[in-house]
């Protein structure tokens, strides 16, 4: 696992050779879209409006971590909570960490970028420590 500190949004890491991972909810709205609450996921959803509908369809087909692909963009949505108003779900986070690891191992030709998944950064480091193509990003802390 590689680690990097950044002040850039996750959208800046999109590219044909990269897989970016965003947290999503299991809640599928009436219009078929999943709800996203993470700022990076919102930014990606604004850039690719069809992404959340694709995630909603794939979740309804019981695909647990869909990968949205468009020309030069690979975005994996991983569920970390049931509903946009609910707290992190520990079982979903644990399953999500396993899914992210499997995706990195499957897509060895890509760099996998994500901010810590869930709220336990130590568990992220332990889970991904031996995964060579995964980049765990950290927010740059600024004074002021």
């Amino acid at each position: 696992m590689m680690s990097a500190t950044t002040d850039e949004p996750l959208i800046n890491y999109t590219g044909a050779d990269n897989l970016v991972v965003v947290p999503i909810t299991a809640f599928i709205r009436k219009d078929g879209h999943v709800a996203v609450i993470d700022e990076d996921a919102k930014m990606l959803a604004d850039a690719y409006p069809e992404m959340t509908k694709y995630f909603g369809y794939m979740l309804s087909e019981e695909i647990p971590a869909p990968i949205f692909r468009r020309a030069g963009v690979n975005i994996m949505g991983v569920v970390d909570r049931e509903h946009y108003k609910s707290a992190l779900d520990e079982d979903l986070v644990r399953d999500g960490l396993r899914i992210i690891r499997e995706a990195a191992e499957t897509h060895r030709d890509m760099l996998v970028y994500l901010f810590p998944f869930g709220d336990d950064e130590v568990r992220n480091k332990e889970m991904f420590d031996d995964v060579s193509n995964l980049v765990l990003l950290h927010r740059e802390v600024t004074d002021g």
Side-chain angles (χ1 to χ4, degrees):
M1 173 190 73
M2 294 171 270
S3 186
T5 301
T6 184
D7 62 352
E8 295 183 37
L10 197 55
I11 195 169
N12 291 1
Y13 293 91
T14 58
D17 296 329
N18 298 342
L19 174 65
V20 296
V21 178
V22 295
I24 60 176
T25 68
F27 178 71
I28 302 171
R29 302 182 323 213
K30 289 181 183 177
D31 64 2
H33 293 256
V34 296
V36 293
I37 59 172
D38 175 85
E39 287 304 315
D40 285 294
K42 286 179 185 177
M43 190 177 292
L44 286 161
D46 289 343
Y48 306 101
E50 67 277 17
M51 179 185 80
T52 56
K53 184 156 186 135
Y54 175 79
F55 286 162
Y57 172 75
M58 296 304 280
L59 289 177
S60 72
E61 295 293 314
E62 299 183 9
I63 305 297
I67 297 177
F68 173 80
R69 298 178 192 270
R70 291 294 176 268
V73 176
N74 305 290
I75 304 165
M76 183 168 78
V78 181
V79 176
D80 68 351
R81 64 191 75 223
E82 287 294 328
H83 193 271
Y84 63 93
K85 291 183 180 179
S86 62
L88 288 172
D89 182 299
E90 191 58 36
D91 291 333
L92 291 173
V93 170
R94 186 176 42 254
D95 289 345
L97 289 167
R98 182 186 48 76
I99 289 167
I100 294 166
R101 181 183 174 87
E102 288 174 7
E105 290 172 345
T106 301
H107 300 285
R108 290 232 176 252
D109 58 331
M110 303 175 101
L111 285 177
V112 178
Y113 288 93
L114 71 149
F115 285 100
F117 189 76
D119 60 0
D120 186 348
E121 194 167 331
V122 172
R123 182 169 53 179
N124 278 249
K125 289 178 182 175
E126 290 171 353
M127 179 63 113
F128 304 132
D129 188 45
D130 62 336
V131 181
S132 62
N133 62 323
L134 190 135
V135 182
L136 189 59
L137 299 170
H138 307 277
R139 290 278 180 220
E140 190 170 279
V141 179
T142 57
D143 293 333

